[in-house]
Amino acid sequence: MEGYNRAPLFRICIGALMNRKKKINQTLKSKAKKANAKLQSSNKPKYIAKADRESLAAEADTECHAVGAAAVNSVTLDSKSAES
């Protein structure tokens, strides 16, 4: 009778052991996958917020106007020196 009662308990322990091994392997694989993903570089450009894009565009416009005004001033100075 003793052997009969122990057999189901032994099977339960092995089943629990296999589930524990499976869970450990699963967590290790997921950690390795996340670490590998961090090492990979992406070709996708970094996201720039809409407000930042607007401020960058405004700065580019002011720089373009400043450069354009400087170019116009230099052209007028050159034409005046050519006339004299």
Side-chain angles (χ1 to χ4, degrees), residues 32-83:
K33 191 174 182 181
K34 288 178 187 177
N36 193 26
K38 282 187 178 183
L39 294 175
Q40 300 301 321
S41 62
S42 175
N43 293 335
K44 192 168 93 172
K46 188 176 179 183
Y47 176 75
I48 301 173
K50 187 176 182 181
D52 293 337
R53 285 185 294 221
E54 290 174 355
S55 65
L56 288 173
E59 287 177 13
D61 287 341
T62 56
E63 285 179 16
C64 183
H65 290 301
V67 169
V72 169
N73 288 339
S74 67
V75 168
T76 56
L77 289 175
D78 289 339
S79 62
K80 285 180 185 177
S81 64
E83 289 175 3

Side-chain angles (χ1 to χ4, degrees), residues 15-30:
L17 180 65
M18 293 304 287
N19 287 338
R20 190 176 327 138
K21 285 174 79 174
K22 180 181 175 184
K23 186 69 174 177
I24 290 169
N25 286 334
Q26 187 178 12
T27 55
L28 289 174
K29 282 182 186 178
S30 66

